[in-house]
Amino acid sequence: MSRPLTETPAQASAKLALTGDVARPARLTVADLMAWPQHRVRAGFECATSGVQHHRFGGPLLHDVLTDAGPGFDPVRRKDRLRFLIAVTGTDGHHALLTWAEIDPDFAHAPVLLAVSIDGTPLDLAGPQLVLPQDRCGARHISGINAIRVDGGYSSWPSGDAPHLT
């Protein structure tokens, strides 16, 4: 069987844009994500519409992929990476937000995957999935990821602008 000479719309949408405060922004496909070490997890989560779901996922750790992109941490600022947020968007419009501390081995070290397979089925055409096996609810599982943005723009409030709790 020969490969098509042009991409179908599904193949074209299976690329994700990795942008933001990174030294090496990229457009990645499932095939590109196969270059990182692959991890396997079993995840069970409650779905509001179809009950409890159980799946096996395979793919690279989100931390590995983002570290390779060169997040813009300031080496002079102690714990600078703690102000970084990670926004993930799927082709269906679903969004999830994570903190760098969630995926960092020095902090929570959550095994968050950019899954390239589900239950042994490759996700080449559908695109990778964000998988958070530690979440009880599946709301942050994002299918068909088309964008990941790393954002380090969250610094402390300027003097006098911090919220006051009473």
Side-chain angles (χ1 to χ4, degrees):
M1 185 163 106
S2 64
R3 296 179 69 133
L5 297 176
T6 58
E7 293 181 327
T8 66
Q11 289 169 319
S13 66
K15 292 183 179 132
L16 73 87
L18 175 54
T19 63
D21 295 325
V22 294
R24 292 171 296 283
R27 291 196 49 83
L28 301 170
T29 64
V30 166
D32 296 328
L33 294 171
M34 294 294 293
W36 278 275
Q38 300 295 294
H39 298 264
R40 306 276 180 254
V41 299
R42 290 183 186 271
F45 56 88
E46 293 181 30
C47 179
T49 57
S50 55
V52 177
Q53 303 287 310
H54 295 279
H55 296 287
R56 293 180 333 267
F57 295 94
L61 292 173
L62 176 62
H63 181 266
D64 292 349
V65 174
L66 296 184
T67 298
D68 192 59
F73 305 143
D74 182 346
V76 175
R77 293 179 63 191
R78 187 172 181 259
K79 301 180 196 171
D80 187 55
R81 60 196 161 162
L82 296 181
R83 69 183 171 90
F84 279 69
L85 298 178
I86 304 159
V88 181
T89 304
T91 55
D92 60 2
H94 284 97
H95 305 279
L97 188 64
L98 296 93
T99 66
W100 190 271
E102 285 182 84
I103 64 170
D104 193 305
D106 289 337
F107 298 98
H109 198 209
V112 177
L113 287 188
L114 290 175
V116 296
S117 68
I118 179 171
D119 299 327
T121 301
L123 293 169
D124 298 55
L125 298 179
Q129 289 190 22
L130 181 70
V131 177
L132 295 98
Q134 71 278 10
D135 283 9
R136 183 183 62 81
C137 171
R140 292 197 299 174
H141 286 236
I142 305 294
S143 299
I145 299 170
N146 63 0
I148 299 175
R149 179 169 177 75
V150 177
D151 194 337
Y154 300 94
S155 58
S156 61
W157 286 282
S159 178
D161 289 343
H164 292 80
L165 302 176
T166 56

PDB file of all heavy atoms in Angstrom, residues 70-86:
ATOM      1  N   GLY A  70      13.244  23.702  25.579  1.00  0.00           N
ATOM      2  CA  GLY A  70      14.027  24.765  26.216  1.00  0.00           C
ATOM      3  C   GLY A  70      13.191  25.842  26.871  1.00  0.00           C
ATOM      4  O   GLY A  70      13.219  26.998  26.440  1.00  0.00           O
ATOM      5  N   PRO A  71      12.444  25.490  27.935  1.00  0.00           N
ATOM      6  CA  PRO A  71      11.649  26.518  28.617  1.00  0.00           C
ATOM      7  C   PRO A  71      12.543  27.649  29.111  1.00  0.00           C
ATOM      8  O   PRO A  71      13.683  27.418  29.503  1.00  0.00           O
ATOM      9  CB  PRO A  71      10.986  25.776  29.765  1.00  0.00           C
ATOM     10  CG  PRO A  71      11.745  24.510  29.918  1.00  0.00           C
ATOM     11  CD  PRO A  71      12.394  24.201  28.612  1.00  0.00           C
ATOM     12  N   GLY A  72      12.020  28.866  29.069  1.00  0.00           N
ATOM     13  CA  GLY A  72      12.797  30.063  29.378  1.00  0.00           C
ATOM     14  C   GLY A  72      12.962  30.361  30.846  1.00  0.00           C
ATOM     15  O   GLY A  72      12.685  31.491  31.282  1.00  0.00           O
ATOM     16  N   PHE A  73      13.414  29.392  31.609  1.00  0.00           N
ATOM     17  CA  PHE A  73      13.647  29.625  33.034  1.00  0.00           C
ATOM     18  C   PHE A  73      14.833  30.573  33.202  1.00  0.00           C
ATOM     19  O   PHE A  73      15.832  30.465  32.496  1.00  0.00           O
ATOM     20  CB  PHE A  73      13.962  28.326  33.776  1.00  0.00           C
ATOM     21  CG  PHE A  73      12.933  27.243  33.629  1.00  0.00           C
ATOM     22  CD1 PHE A  73      13.323  25.923  33.540  1.00  0.00           C
ATOM     23  CD2 PHE A  73      11.587  27.530  33.599  1.00  0.00           C
ATOM     24  CE1 PHE A  73      12.387  24.906  33.419  1.00  0.00           C
ATOM     25  CE2 PHE A  73      10.647  26.529  33.479  1.00  0.00           C
ATOM     26  CZ  PHE A  73      11.041  25.210  33.386  1.00  0.00           C
ATOM     27  N   ASP A  74      14.727  31.475  34.161  1.00  0.00           N
ATOM     28  CA  ASP A  74      15.823  32.382  34.487  1.00  0.00           C
ATOM     29  C   ASP A  74      16.708  31.671  35.511  1.00  0.00           C
ATOM     30  O   ASP A  74      16.294  31.466  36.653  1.00  0.00           O
ATOM     31  CB  ASP A  74      15.267  33.679  35.070  1.00  0.00           C
ATOM     32  CG  ASP A  74      16.338  34.704  35.386  1.00  0.00           C
ATOM     33  OD1 ASP A  74      17.542  34.345  35.406  1.00  0.00           O
ATOM     34  OD2 ASP A  74      15.973  35.867  35.630  1.00  0.00           O
ATOM     35  N   PRO A  75      17.940  31.293  35.126  1.00  0.00           N
ATOM     36  CA  PRO A  75      18.791  30.533  36.044  1.00  0.00           C
ATOM     37  C   PRO A  75      19.216  31.325  37.283  1.00  0.00           C
ATOM     38  O   PRO A  75      19.612  30.743  38.285  1.00  0.00           O
ATOM     39  CB  PRO A  75      20.006  30.158  35.186  1.00  0.00           C
ATOM     40  CG  PRO A  75      19.997  31.121  34.066  1.00  0.00           C
ATOM     41  CD  PRO A  75      18.572  31.535  33.854  1.00  0.00           C
ATOM     42  N   VAL A  76      19.095  32.649  37.222  1.00  0.00           N
ATOM     43  CA  VAL A  76      19.473  33.485  38.359  1.00  0.00           C
ATOM     44  C   VAL A  76      18.378  33.504  39.425  1.00  0.00           C
ATOM     45  O   VAL A  76      18.657  33.627  40.610  1.00  0.00           O
ATOM     46  CB  VAL A  76      19.802  34.921  37.876  1.00  0.00           C
ATOM     47  CG1 VAL A  76      20.090  35.839  39.043  1.00  0.00           C
ATOM     48  CG2 VAL A  76      20.959  34.891  36.900  1.00  0.00           C
ATOM     49  N   ARG A  77      17.135  33.366  38.983  1.00  0.00           N
ATOM     50  CA  ARG A  77      15.998  33.419  39.915  1.00  0.00           C
ATOM     51  C   ARG A  77      15.749  32.043  40.503  1.00  0.00           C
ATOM     52  O   ARG A  77      15.456  31.091  39.778  1.00  0.00           O
ATOM     53  CB  ARG A  77      14.746  33.906  39.204  1.00  0.00           C
ATOM     54  CG  ARG A  77      14.852  35.361  38.769  1.00  0.00           C
ATOM     55  CD  ARG A  77      13.621  35.820  38.059  1.00  0.00           C
ATOM     56  NE  ARG A  77      12.475  35.763  38.962  1.00  0.00           N
ATOM     57  CZ  ARG A  77      11.236  35.912  38.560  1.00  0.00           C
ATOM     58  NH1 ARG A  77      10.964  36.118  37.293  1.00  0.00           N
ATOM     59  NH2 ARG A  77      10.253  35.854  39.431  1.00  0.00           N
ATOM     60  N   ARG A  78      15.852  31.957  41.785  1.00  0.00           N
ATOM     61  CA  ARG A  78      15.617  30.696  42.486  1.00  0.00           C
ATOM     62  C   ARG A  78      14.170  30.232  42.251  1.00  0.00           C
ATOM     63  O   ARG A  78      13.241  31.003  42.377  1.00  0.00           O
ATOM     64  CB  ARG A  78      15.874  30.904  43.982  1.00  0.00           C
ATOM     65  CG  ARG A  78      15.828  29.641  44.778  1.00  0.00           C
ATOM     66  CD  ARG A  78      16.296  29.909  46.214  1.00  0.00           C
ATOM     67  NE  ARG A  78      16.282  28.696  46.976  1.00  0.00           N
ATOM     68  CZ  ARG A  78      15.307  28.384  47.826  1.00  0.00           C
ATOM     69  NH1 ARG A  78      14.320  29.210  48.045  1.00  0.00           N
ATOM     70  NH2 ARG A  78      15.360  27.242  48.479  1.00  0.00           N
ATOM     71  N   LYS A  79      14.007  29.002  41.886  1.00  0.00           N
ATOM     72  CA  LYS A  79      12.693  28.395  41.662  1.00  0.00           C
ATOM     73  C   LYS A  79      11.876  29.101  40.577  1.00  0.00           C
ATOM     74  O   LYS A  79      10.645  29.102  40.605  1.00  0.00           O
ATOM     75  CB  LYS A  79      11.887  28.340  42.959  1.00  0.00           C
ATOM     76  CG  LYS A  79      12.546  27.564  44.063  1.00  0.00           C
ATOM     77  CD  LYS A  79      11.660  27.574  45.291  1.00  0.00           C
ATOM     78  CE  LYS A  79      12.441  27.144  46.511  1.00  0.00           C
ATOM     79  NZ  LYS A  79      11.675  27.339  47.722  1.00  0.00           N
ATOM     80  N   ASP A  80      12.536  29.712  39.600  1.00  0.00           N
ATOM     81  CA  ASP A  80      11.831  30.445  38.545  1.00  0.00           C
ATOM     82  C   ASP A  80      10.816  29.574  37.811  1.00  0.00           C
ATOM     83  O   ASP A  80       9.756  30.045  37.416  1.00  0.00           O
ATOM     84  CB  ASP A  80      12.839  31.023  37.547  1.00  0.00           C
ATOM     85  CG  ASP A  80      12.188  31.937  36.543  1.00  0.00           C
ATOM     86  OD1 ASP A  80      11.500  32.899  36.965  1.00  0.00           O
ATOM     87  OD2 ASP A  80      12.341  31.701  35.329  1.00  0.00           O
ATOM     88  N   ARG A  81      11.113  28.292  37.668  1.00  0.00           N
ATOM     89  CA  ARG A  81      10.219  27.409  36.916  1.00  0.00           C
ATOM     90  C   ARG A  81       8.837  27.284  37.549  1.00  0.00           C
ATOM     91  O   ARG A  81       7.880  26.882  36.896  1.00  0.00           O
ATOM     92  CB  ARG A  81      10.866  26.044  36.730  1.00  0.00           C
ATOM     93  CG  ARG A  81      11.178  25.360  38.027  1.00  0.00           C
ATOM     94  CD  ARG A  81      12.148  24.221  37.860  1.00  0.00           C
ATOM     95  NE  ARG A  81      12.722  23.953  39.168  1.00  0.00           N
ATOM     96  CZ  ARG A  81      13.320  22.860  39.492  1.00  0.00           C
ATOM     97  NH1 ARG A  81      13.455  21.907  38.597  1.00  0.00           N
ATOM     98  NH2 ARG A  81      13.798  22.685  40.693  1.00  0.00           N
ATOM     99  N   LEU A  82       8.707  27.644  38.819  1.00  0.00           N
ATOM    100  CA  LEU A  82       7.416  27.512  39.493  1.00  0.00           C
ATOM    101  C   LEU A  82       6.380  28.521  39.014  1.00  0.00           C
ATOM    102  O   LEU A  82       5.194  28.369  39.293  1.00  0.00           O
ATOM    103  CB  LEU A  82       7.597  27.623  41.004  1.00  0.00           C
ATOM    104  CG  LEU A  82       8.426  26.505  41.629  1.00  0.00           C
ATOM    105  CD1 LEU A  82       8.527  26.702  43.132  1.00  0.00           C
ATOM    106  CD2 LEU A  82       7.848  25.144  41.295  1.00  0.00           C
ATOM    107  N   ARG A  83       6.807  29.538  38.283  1.00  0.00           N
ATOM    108  CA  ARG A  83       5.829  30.518  37.780  1.00  0.00           C
ATOM    109  C   ARG A  83       5.324  30.166  36.383  1.00  0.00           C
ATOM    110  O   ARG A  83       4.487  30.859  35.821  1.00  0.00           O
ATOM    111  CB  ARG A  83       6.425  31.927  37.795  1.00  0.00           C
ATOM    112  CG  ARG A  83       7.528  32.152  36.802  1.00  0.00           C
ATOM    113  CD  ARG A  83       8.125  33.563  36.940  1.00  0.00           C
ATOM    114  NE  ARG A  83       9.312  33.668  36.134  1.00  0.00           N
ATOM    115  CZ  ARG A  83       9.313  34.068  34.857  1.00  0.00           C
ATOM    116  NH1 ARG A  83       8.187  34.412  34.276  1.00  0.00           N
ATOM    117  NH2 ARG A  83      10.433  34.121  34.183  1.00  0.00           N
ATOM    118  N   PHE A  84       5.782  29.056  35.822  1.00  0.00           N
ATOM    119  CA  PHE A  84       5.405  28.683  34.459  1.00  0.00           C
ATOM    120  C   PHE A  84       4.115  27.859  34.441  1.00  0.00           C
ATOM    121  O   PHE A  84       3.933  26.940  35.234  1.00  0.00           O
ATOM    122  CB  PHE A  84       6.533  27.882  33.796  1.00  0.00           C
ATOM    123  CG  PHE A  84       7.628  28.750  33.256  1.00  0.00           C
ATOM    124  CD1 PHE A  84       8.456  29.451  34.115  1.00  0.00           C
ATOM    125  CD2 PHE A  84       7.817  28.889  31.891  1.00  0.00           C
ATOM    126  CE1 PHE A  84       9.461  30.262  33.625  1.00  0.00           C
ATOM    127  CE2 PHE A  84       8.816  29.698  31.396  1.00  0.00           C
ATOM    128  CZ  PHE A  84       9.645  30.389  32.266  1.00  0.00           C
ATOM    129  N   LEU A  85       3.247  28.225  33.497  1.00  0.00           N
ATOM    130  CA  LEU A  85       1.998  27.500  33.262  1.00  0.00           C
ATOM    131  C   LEU A  85       2.070  26.829  31.896  1.00  0.00           C
ATOM    132  O   LEU A  85       2.789  27.283  31.006  1.00  0.00           O
ATOM    133  CB  LEU A  85       0.805  28.446  33.302  1.00  0.00           C
ATOM    134  CG  LEU A  85       0.566  29.156  34.631  1.00  0.00           C
ATOM    135  CD1 LEU A  85      -0.617  30.098  34.517  1.00  0.00           C
ATOM    136  CD2 LEU A  85       0.325  28.137  35.739  1.00  0.00           C
ATOM    137  N   ILE A  86       1.307  25.753  31.740  1.00  0.00           N
ATOM    138  CA  ILE A  86       1.258  24.996  30.490  1.00  0.00           C
ATOM    139  C   ILE A  86      -0.204  24.910  30.075  1.00  0.00           C
ATOM    140  O   ILE A  86      -1.024  24.321  30.791  1.00  0.00           O
ATOM    141  CB  ILE A  86       1.843  23.585  30.690  1.00  0.00           C
ATOM    142  CG1 ILE A  86       3.270  23.670  31.252  1.00  0.00           C
ATOM    143  CG2 ILE A  86       1.784  22.799  29.384  1.00  0.00           C
ATOM    144  CD1 ILE A  86       3.722  22.406  31.943  1.00  0.00           C
TER     145      ILE A  86
END
